[in-house]
Amino acid sequence: QVQLVESGGGLVQAGGSLRVSCAASGRTSTYYHIGWFRQAPGKEREFVGAIIIIGSGTMYADSVKGRFTISKDNAKATVYLQMNSLKPEDTAVYYCAAAPTRSGRLSDSGHYTSWGQGTQVTVSS
């Protein structure tokens, strides 16, 4: 099992930037993908993006494409979500999650078996 801890959330004005991190510990050699999801009050959890850990490649939701970038530092077992041009509708709790298999849809929350506790991102207008 891998443990995930998010950090770096906070309050930012619309148009600003923020970077959140997802640090993994435990059996870090046993996961293939890291996904980012978010959940706003009263809404369902939604896919933000994902990165392939063993190998390369990223995938983004249409709502964040061109504004958000996911990167990784394998040596630090950390994945980053760089968020630029933030909008009030980006306000949510952001979660990272790890998937233990290569197969499965990156955008499907059921593909992931380990989740972090989440970090709050608030964008003011």
Side-chain angles (χ1 to χ4, degrees):
Q1 189 89 3
V2 62
Q3 291 79 45
L4 304 173
V5 178
E6 302 96 336
S7 62
L11 174 64
V12 63
Q13 288 188 332
S17 298
L18 203 61
R19 189 180 79 164
V20 294
S21 302
C22 174
S25 61
R27 301 183 63 187
T28 58
S29 63
T30 61
Y31 62 97
Y32 293 90
H33 307 138
I34 291 290
W36 284 97
F37 292 78
R38 66 186 182 186
Q39 188 166 20
K43 295 187 177 181
E44 293 187 354
R45 187 171 297 186
E46 66 172 350
F47 173 73
V48 174
I51 188 166
I52 297 172
I53 296 300
I54 301 175
S56 62
T58 54
M59 176 183 177
Y60 298 95
D62 288 342
S63 59
V64 306
K65 199 172 295 183
R67 299 189 298 123
F68 290 12
T69 302
I70 299 173
S71 61
K72 62 181 179 177
D73 185 335
N74 285 351
K76 296 182 178 180
T78 299
V79 170
Y80 304 98
L81 176 65
Q82 177 67 45
M83 302 180 287
N84 298 328
S85 302
L86 282 162
K87 305 174 182 179
E89 50 264 43
D90 294 318
T91 296
V93 177
Y94 284 71
Y95 300 88
C96 63
T101 63
R102 296 180 188 272
S103 61
R105 289 173 53 193
L106 292 177
S107 60
D108 182 0
S109 62
H111 174 54
Y112 302 88
T113 57
S114 298
W115 292 79
Q117 83 289 348
T119 185
Q120 176 70 48
V121 172
T122 303
V123 184
S124 63
S125 57

